[in-house]
Amino acid sequence: MIIGGSLFAASQSFAEVEGEVALDYATKYEFRGVDLGDDLFDATLGLSNEFDNGVTLSGGAWFATTQDAADFKEVDLFAEVSKEFGAVTLAGGYVWYSYPGQSGDNYHELYASAATTQLGLDWELLYAYVIDSEGDNDGGGYLEATVGKSFAVNECVSIDTVAGAAWSFGYNAQIDDTQYDGFNHWFVGVSAPWEVRETVTITPYVKYVDADSEIKNAAEEEFIGGVSLAVSF
């Protein structure tokens, strides 16, 4: 992670804070190869600021509920620091997952990622380390690699493709009485962002995911569709 005081010492001045509000619908709530229910409705508020030394700080909140489980609610808070080093962007962050009114424990996640564009493709590697609020899942690790490509259709529309695979290292809390080690899932997806206005984007998308059958509630051979409305300010 690049959370270090030396990154902030060069300059204290910064540009104007930018933000985005997004509303989303998906036919499934699939998270890291696990099927968490049908008809996901979620909303995100994100803020970011880039300092003169190239460091970007961002954070926000995510709220979700599912139609087939009206009592299910999830609220996540997240924060990230990132910086470009030549052709590579490094980032590190924290996520707090909470479930208001649910019996399950809240939990914390630390993550680090590296992203670059090479050979005309966008590559990213993410590692997340999960800690249960009670310490029961202390040390669970999750590794995901993705590759993507974007094709411009016109000035307002593009076609974005992505493929990825993930591995668990004692991570998956959806396993009965034990954490899961090994290949987690793979996926492919395509989306079509449409910039309706300079600050408004509508993005329909479809995704195919296939998770290891040993995972409880595994998203096995599932097609997921959805649409997102994002407004920046």
Side-chain angles (χ1 to χ4, degrees):
M1 293 186 184
I2 53 170
I3 303 177
S6 60
L7 292 176
F8 301 93
S11 174
Q12 296 182 356
S13 62
F14 51 88
E16 184 178 354
V17 174
E18 298 180 346
E20 182 177 88
V21 174
L23 302 175
D24 303 90
Y25 166 77
T27 55
K28 289 277 188 182
Y29 180 6
E30 179 268 328
F31 181 66
R32 295 177 179 172
V34 176
D35 185 341
L36 296 174
D38 295 332
D39 295 320
L40 170 68
F41 296 88
D42 66 85
T44 307
L45 170 63
L47 300 172
S48 66
N49 180 81
E50 182 177 357
F51 291 79
D52 284 350
N53 56 9
V55 173
T56 297
L57 294 178
S58 59
W62 185 74
F63 171 81
T65 185
T66 54
Q67 185 67 29
D68 64 341
D71 59 341
F72 174 82
K73 294 179 177 61
E74 179 177 342
V75 178
D76 303 341
L77 302 178
F78 54 90
E80 180 181 282
V81 56
S82 63
K83 181 176 173 62
E84 292 184 9
F85 294 90
V88 179
T89 298
L90 299 181
Y94 165 81
V95 185
W96 179 60
Y97 299 87
S98 64
Y99 305 90
Q102 307 298 307
S103 58
D105 294 328
N106 303 329
Y107 62 98
H108 314 274
E109 175 178 296
L110 299 175
Y111 68 87
S113 67
T116 187
T117 299
Q118 301 291 338
L119 304 175
L121 300 173
D122 299 320
W123 307 83
E124 184 171 3
L125 189 65
L126 166 76
Y127 179 78
Y129 181 89
V130 178
I131 306 171
D132 189 280
S133 61
E134 302 298 326
D136 297 332
N137 194 27
D138 194 353
Y142 173 86
L143 180 66
E144 181 178 287
T146 60
V147 58
K149 176 71 174 179
S150 181
F151 304 89
V153 176
N154 54 43
E155 293 182 353
C156 300
V157 179
S158 66
I159 302 296
D160 298 344
T161 60
V162 65
W167 294 259
S168 286
F169 304 92
Y171 161 75
N172 204 311
Q174 298 293 324
I175 300 296
D176 288 328
D177 302 322
T178 183
Q179 271 58 59
Y180 177 66
D181 286 294
F183 182 78
N184 197 82
H185 73 290
W186 67 274
F187 61 92
V188 293
V190 60
S191 61
W194 171 31
E195 189 178 276
V196 182
R197 298 180 58 183
E198 184 177 356
T199 59
V200 180
T201 303
I202 297 175
T203 306
Y205 61 89
V206 64
K207 178 181 181 181
Y208 175 84
V209 58
D210 190 18
D212 192 295
S213 60
E214 293 185 25
I215 298 174
K216 183 181 179 182
N217 298 327
E220 295 184 78
E221 299 181 345
E222 290 188 358
F223 281 96
I224 302 167
V227 63
S228 172
L229 169 65
V231 180
S232 60
F233 57 90

Short mmCIF file of all heavy atoms in Angstrom, two decimals, residues 3 5 11 14 23 32 39 44 58 68 86 88 91 110 119 136 162 170 189 197 209 216 220 224 227:
data_model
loop_
_atom_site.label_atom_id
_atom_site.label_comp_id
_atom_site.label_asym_id
_atom_site.label_seq_id
_atom_site.Cartn_x
_atom_site.Cartn_y
_atom_site.Cartn_z
N ILE A 3 0.30 4.09 1.69
CA ILE A 3 -0.14 5.00 2.74
C ILE A 3 1.09 5.43 3.50
O ILE A 3 1.59 4.73 4.37
CB ILE A 3 -1.15 4.31 3.69
CG1 ILE A 3 -2.33 3.79 2.88
CG2 ILE A 3 -1.61 5.26 4.76
CD1 ILE A 3 -3.34 3.04 3.68
N GLY A 5 3.41 9.07 4.95
CA GLY A 5 3.44 10.50 5.14
C GLY A 5 4.28 11.21 4.09
O GLY A 5 4.01 12.35 3.73
N SER A 11 3.39 18.73 -1.07
CA SER A 11 2.48 19.84 -1.32
C SER A 11 1.21 19.67 -0.51
O SER A 11 0.73 18.57 -0.31
CB SER A 11 2.12 19.91 -2.81
OG SER A 11 1.13 20.88 -3.03
N PHE A 14 -4.41 21.46 -3.26
CA PHE A 14 -5.15 20.43 -3.97
C PHE A 14 -6.21 21.06 -4.85
O PHE A 14 -6.60 22.20 -4.70
CB PHE A 14 -5.80 19.45 -2.98
CG PHE A 14 -6.61 20.11 -1.90
CD1 PHE A 14 -7.95 20.40 -2.09
CD2 PHE A 14 -6.01 20.46 -0.69
CE1 PHE A 14 -8.69 21.01 -1.09
CE2 PHE A 14 -6.76 21.08 0.31
CZ PHE A 14 -8.09 21.35 0.11
N LEU A 23 -26.75 5.08 -9.10
CA LEU A 23 -27.85 4.18 -8.77
C LEU A 23 -27.78 2.99 -9.69
O LEU A 23 -27.60 3.15 -10.91
CB LEU A 23 -29.20 4.89 -8.93
CG LEU A 23 -29.42 6.16 -8.10
CD1 LEU A 23 -30.75 6.80 -8.47
CD2 LEU A 23 -29.37 5.85 -6.60
N ARG A 32 -17.83 -11.70 -5.48
CA ARG A 32 -16.67 -12.58 -5.43
C ARG A 32 -17.06 -14.05 -5.53
O ARG A 32 -16.60 -14.89 -4.77
CB ARG A 32 -15.84 -12.30 -4.19
CG ARG A 32 -15.23 -10.90 -4.22
CD ARG A 32 -14.46 -10.54 -2.97
NE ARG A 32 -13.89 -9.20 -3.11
CZ ARG A 32 -13.27 -8.54 -2.13
NH1 ARG A 32 -13.14 -9.10 -0.93
NH2 ARG A 32 -12.79 -7.33 -2.34
N ASP A 39 -32.28 -9.59 -7.67
CA ASP A 39 -32.76 -8.20 -7.77
C ASP A 39 -32.06 -7.27 -6.78
O ASP A 39 -32.62 -6.87 -5.77
CB ASP A 39 -34.27 -8.14 -7.57
CG ASP A 39 -35.02 -8.84 -8.67
OD1 ASP A 39 -34.61 -8.70 -9.84
OD2 ASP A 39 -36.01 -9.55 -8.38
N THR A 44 -24.47 4.50 -4.58
CA THR A 44 -23.11 4.83 -4.16
C THR A 44 -22.91 6.33 -4.16
O THR A 44 -23.35 7.03 -5.07
CB THR A 44 -22.08 4.21 -5.11
OG1 THR A 44 -22.31 2.81 -5.26
CG2 THR A 44 -20.66 4.43 -4.60
N SER A 58 -9.67 9.14 -2.08
CA SER A 58 -11.08 8.95 -2.42
C SER A 58 -11.77 8.16 -1.32
O SER A 58 -11.13 7.48 -0.52
CB SER A 58 -11.22 8.23 -3.77
OG SER A 58 -10.59 6.97 -3.73
N ASP A 68 -35.61 -10.05 -3.14
CA ASP A 68 -36.11 -11.32 -2.64
C ASP A 68 -35.85 -11.50 -1.15
O ASP A 68 -36.27 -12.49 -0.56
CB ASP A 68 -35.51 -12.50 -3.41
CG ASP A 68 -34.00 -12.60 -3.24
OD1 ASP A 68 -33.39 -11.59 -2.84
OD2 ASP A 68 -33.45 -13.68 -3.49
N GLY A 86 4.96 6.02 -13.05
CA GLY A 86 5.20 5.67 -14.43
C GLY A 86 3.93 5.11 -15.05
O GLY A 86 2.88 5.75 -15.04
N VAL A 88 2.36 2.46 -14.02
CA VAL A 88 1.62 1.65 -13.04
C VAL A 88 0.95 2.54 -12.01
O VAL A 88 1.58 3.47 -11.48
CB VAL A 88 2.56 0.65 -12.33
CG1 VAL A 88 1.78 -0.17 -11.30
CG2 VAL A 88 3.23 -0.27 -13.34
N ALA A 91 -2.55 1.42 -5.52
CA ALA A 91 -3.60 1.90 -4.62
C ALA A 91 -3.68 1.02 -3.39
O ALA A 91 -3.35 -0.17 -3.43
CB ALA A 91 -4.95 1.93 -5.33
N LEU A 110 -8.74 -4.74 4.29
CA LEU A 110 -7.65 -3.95 3.76
C LEU A 110 -7.28 -4.51 2.40
O LEU A 110 -7.29 -5.73 2.21
CB LEU A 110 -6.44 -4.01 4.69
CG LEU A 110 -6.65 -3.48 6.11
CD1 LEU A 110 -5.39 -3.73 6.96
CD2 LEU A 110 -6.97 -1.99 6.09
N LEU A 119 0.18 -3.47 -23.99
CA LEU A 119 -0.24 -4.23 -25.17
C LEU A 119 -1.68 -3.92 -25.56
O LEU A 119 -2.41 -4.77 -26.07
CB LEU A 119 -0.09 -5.74 -24.91
CG LEU A 119 1.30 -6.23 -24.50
CD1 LEU A 119 1.26 -7.72 -24.17
CD2 LEU A 119 2.31 -5.95 -25.60
N ASP A 136 -12.96 -14.05 13.93
CA ASP A 136 -13.13 -15.44 13.51
C ASP A 136 -12.55 -15.70 12.12
O ASP A 136 -12.22 -16.83 11.78
CB ASP A 136 -14.62 -15.81 13.51
CG ASP A 136 -15.22 -15.73 14.91
OD1 ASP A 136 -14.46 -15.92 15.87
OD2 ASP A 136 -16.43 -15.48 15.02
N VAL A 162 -14.28 -7.14 -20.06
CA VAL A 162 -13.41 -7.50 -18.95
C VAL A 162 -13.49 -9.01 -18.73
O VAL A 162 -14.53 -9.63 -18.98
CB VAL A 162 -13.80 -6.75 -17.66
CG1 VAL A 162 -15.19 -7.17 -17.17
CG2 VAL A 162 -12.76 -6.96 -16.56
N GLY A 170 -8.15 -19.05 2.53
CA GLY A 170 -8.86 -19.04 3.81
C GLY A 170 -9.82 -17.89 3.90
O GLY A 170 -10.15 -17.43 4.99
N GLY A 189 -17.30 -10.13 -18.72
CA GLY A 189 -18.37 -9.15 -18.74
C GLY A 189 -18.21 -8.15 -19.86
O GLY A 189 -17.12 -7.95 -20.40
N ARG A 197 -25.00 13.16 -21.02
CA ARG A 197 -24.52 14.53 -20.90
C ARG A 197 -23.12 14.47 -20.32
O ARG A 197 -22.64 13.40 -19.94
CB ARG A 197 -25.45 15.35 -19.99
CG ARG A 197 -26.87 15.47 -20.50
CD ARG A 197 -27.72 16.29 -19.56
NE ARG A 197 -27.17 17.64 -19.36
CZ ARG A 197 -27.69 18.55 -18.53
NH1 ARG A 197 -28.78 18.25 -17.82
NH2 ARG A 197 -27.15 19.74 -18.42
N VAL A 209 -20.55 -15.53 -14.71
CA VAL A 209 -19.64 -15.93 -13.64
C VAL A 209 -19.83 -17.40 -13.32
O VAL A 209 -20.95 -17.92 -13.38
CB VAL A 209 -19.88 -15.06 -12.37
CG1 VAL A 209 -21.32 -15.17 -11.90
CG2 VAL A 209 -18.92 -15.43 -11.26
N LYS A 216 -20.38 -22.29 -0.57
CA LYS A 216 -21.81 -22.21 -0.24
C LYS A 216 -22.43 -21.04 -1.00
O LYS A 216 -21.87 -19.96 -1.04
CB LYS A 216 -21.99 -22.02 1.26
CG LYS A 216 -23.45 -21.99 1.70
CD LYS A 216 -23.57 -21.78 3.20
CE LYS A 216 -25.03 -21.72 3.63
NZ LYS A 216 -25.17 -21.47 5.08
N GLU A 220 -22.78 -20.38 -9.74
CA GLU A 220 -22.32 -21.33 -10.73
C GLU A 220 -23.02 -21.10 -12.07
O GLU A 220 -24.24 -21.11 -12.15
CB GLU A 220 -22.59 -22.76 -10.26
CG GLU A 220 -21.81 -23.18 -9.03
CD GLU A 220 -22.06 -24.64 -8.69
OE1 GLU A 220 -21.46 -25.51 -9.36
OE2 GLU A 220 -22.85 -24.91 -7.77
N ILE A 224 -25.67 -12.50 -15.36
CA ILE A 224 -26.18 -11.38 -14.57
C ILE A 224 -26.26 -10.16 -15.47
O ILE A 224 -25.31 -9.84 -16.20
CB ILE A 224 -25.26 -11.10 -13.37
CG1 ILE A 224 -25.13 -12.34 -12.49
CG2 ILE A 224 -25.78 -9.91 -12.56
CD1 ILE A 224 -24.02 -12.26 -11.48
N VAL A 227 -28.04 -2.35 -14.98
CA VAL A 227 -27.87 -1.02 -15.55
C VAL A 227 -27.51 -0.05 -14.43
O VAL A 227 -27.95 -0.20 -13.29
CB VAL A 227 -29.17 -0.55 -16.27
CG1 VAL A 227 -30.33 -0.43 -15.30
CG2 VAL A 227 -28.94 0.76 -17.01
#
